[in-house]
Amino acid sequence: MHKSDLVELKYLSEAEVDMNIWGLTAIVDVATASNALHSITGILFFDKGYFGQILEGTRSAVVEIWGRIKDDPRHHNIELLGITEIQERRFPKWSMKLFDAQQFSVAFPQFAELIANIGDPDVKTLQALRSLWKEI
């Protein structure tokens, strides 16, 4: 793989239905297996009804998985924040690592203040998540 073939995709979305732990676990289990098979790495953030995800891998693999995410009825108001060429993976050990707000603040303390500003699902929450995902 050429370095320029490696990309990072970032997106935000709202959960279509009330997502419970079983539904979230099912998403992570399927994503982890699929991502490992396609050499995709990344993180998934879920809190207060919102998803934020960063996927890393070859452009073709990332675009294929992005197509499935856009067609997934568990997401709505999906917002692609960008696909960027990267030189190396930031999450090489995680085919999919799930975080909620508290876990994310511990793992990435530099973003704790942004995470603290995430309130109930509303426009301010989405704005805080956009800021967070642009900073990562």
Side-chain angles (χ1 to χ4, degrees):
M1 168 178 31
H2 295 44
K3 290 287 187 183
S4 62
D5 291 340
L6 194 60
V7 298
E8 175 183 271
L9 181 145
K10 297 178 186 178
Y11 78 88
L12 295 173
S13 72
E14 292 179 56
E16 182 62 46
V17 294
D18 288 336
M19 184 64 59
N20 62 31
I21 189 66
W22 304 117
L24 196 55
T25 300
I27 288 173
V28 172
D29 287 348
V30 170
T32 299
S34 176
N35 289 355
L37 183 65
H38 294 96
S39 298
I40 299 287
T41 55
I43 61 173
L44 175 64
F45 175 90
F46 181 78
D47 203 72
K48 296 180 177 59
Y50 289 94
F51 290 102
Q53 189 166 19
I54 299 174
L55 298 169
E56 307 167 323
T58 63
R59 184 176 296 276
S60 60
V62 168
V63 168
E64 179 183 329
I65 288 178
W66 173 237
R68 283 191 245 142
I69 291 167
K70 290 190 304 184
D71 292 338
D72 188 327
R74 295 171 291 192
H75 296 273
H76 73 279
N77 295 330
I78 299 173
E79 180 180 356
L80 176 64
L81 299 177
I83 300 176
T84 310
E85 290 183 2
I86 57 176
Q87 297 301 309
E88 63 184 356
R89 296 172 189 257
R90 289 192 285 167
F91 312 107
K93 296 180 182 178
W94 297 330
S95 59
M96 185 50 52
K97 174 69 173 167
L98 175 64
F99 290 97
D100 67 10
Q102 183 178 5
Q103 294 165 326
F104 197 86
S105 292
V106 170
F108 302 97
Q110 66 271 34
F111 301 114
E113 186 175 332
L114 274 173
I115 293 293
N117 291 329
I118 297 176
D120 292 328
D122 59 16
V123 173
K124 289 181 181 181
T125 300
L126 197 51
Q127 290 170 341
L129 284 172
R130 274 192 199 107
S131 295
L132 172 65
W133 245 224
K134 288 178 183 176
E135 291 292 321
I136 296 178

